[in-house]
Amino acid sequence: PVRDMLSLTGKAVSVGSERSGTREMVEEVLARNGMVIEDFDARGYGFKEIVSGFRNGDLEAAFVVTGLFSPFFDELFQVGDFDLLTIPNADAIAAHNPSVSTRGIAQGYFRGGRHPIPSRAVQTVGVYASLITRTNMPAYKVRYLCEVLFDHSFRLNMNLCELNERMAQQSGDFPLHPGALDFYR
């Protein structure tokens, strides 16, 4: 049985597709814990493939980089009985990478399954996502991009339900572009 990250050795595990942000995050998490992707029967699955892999019994675990409000979890928990695992050394990972933060997930945060998900409080890592553009990008183009990104239908179709304006305006390493400021006003 899978009890922790170390017990994943040799198992079929989704680690994200090649050159994806998920794969990069997985490599960093593994390196900080003395592991490599080659320790697994690694699969480069996306969200839909992860759900199918669990449904078909082809997958035993998955590293997932998505927001806590993602509909992915609702779909996944309908497939079977799951739990979330703590990422060992989460504080060290966050300390070495400014785009990563630690995140605690309380026992029972998610609904579904036959037991509280997670079954106990877990410590994990989160990644800050930014859309960065040149300062000389025309404001009307940036405003239009914001309109597209925050369109309800677009967010549903692209599985970006956790994306919201409050999150997007949080202070980061870069100032907001005038076109984005115009959109948020």
Side-chain angles (χ1 to χ4, degrees):
V2 175
R3 297 173 310 282
D4 56 34
M5 201 168 79
L6 294 174
S7 66
L8 295 176
T9 301
K11 300 210 181 314
V13 179
S14 177
V15 295
S17 58
E18 289 285 335
R19 295 183 289 180
S20 69
T22 298
R23 177 73 64 106
E24 287 185 30
M25 191 71 242
V26 168
E27 288 172 345
E28 187 165 348
V29 165
L30 294 176
R32 190 61 52 189
N33 287 285
M35 299 176 80
V36 293
I37 286 178
E38 291 75 21
D39 290 337
F40 313 123
D41 174 7
R43 313 287 172 90
Y45 290 174
F47 293 138
K48 298 277 186 213
E49 295 164 309
I50 290 171
V51 172
S52 295
F54 280 121
R55 182 176 287 123
N56 301 333
D58 300 333
L59 197 59
E60 297 172 83
F63 287 93
V64 177
V65 177
T66 190
L68 290 176
F69 302 114
S70 174
F72 163 77
F73 291 114
D74 295 330
E75 189 175 351
L76 180 66
F77 298 149
Q78 291 176 15
V79 171
D81 201 19
F82 293 93
D83 206 358
L84 303 180
L85 302 177
T86 287
I87 299 291
N89 301 309
D91 289 331
I93 295 165
H96 285 273
N97 186 329
S99 66
V100 174
S101 65
T102 57
R103 175 74 190 240
I105 303 175
Q107 177 183 1
Y109 179 85
F110 294 102
R111 297 173 193 228
R114 287 176 264 163
H115 60 79
I117 302 171
S119 61
R120 63 186 180 284
V122 297
Q123 185 73 17
T124 188
V125 292
V127 181
Y128 297 110
S130 299
L131 182 59
I132 301 171
T133 187
R134 298 183 316 270
T135 56
N136 65 350
M137 178 66 71
Y140 76 91
K141 287 185 178 182
V142 174
R143 180 180 171 75
Y144 176 74
L145 182 59
C146 289
E147 289 172 3
V148 170
L149 288 173
F150 291 107
D151 176 76
H152 181 70
S153 297
F154 175 82
R155 289 183 298 126
L156 281 176
N157 289 332
M158 298 304 292
N159 230 0
L160 297 172
C161 291
E162 70 275 7
L163 180 64
N164 62 61
E165 291 180 32
R166 185 178 53 81
M167 178 190 77
Q169 294 178 71
Q170 289 176 348
S171 61
D173 298 332
F174 303 96
L176 288 175
H177 189 280
L181 284 171
D182 184 46
F183 171 78
Y184 295 130
R185 281 189 214 127

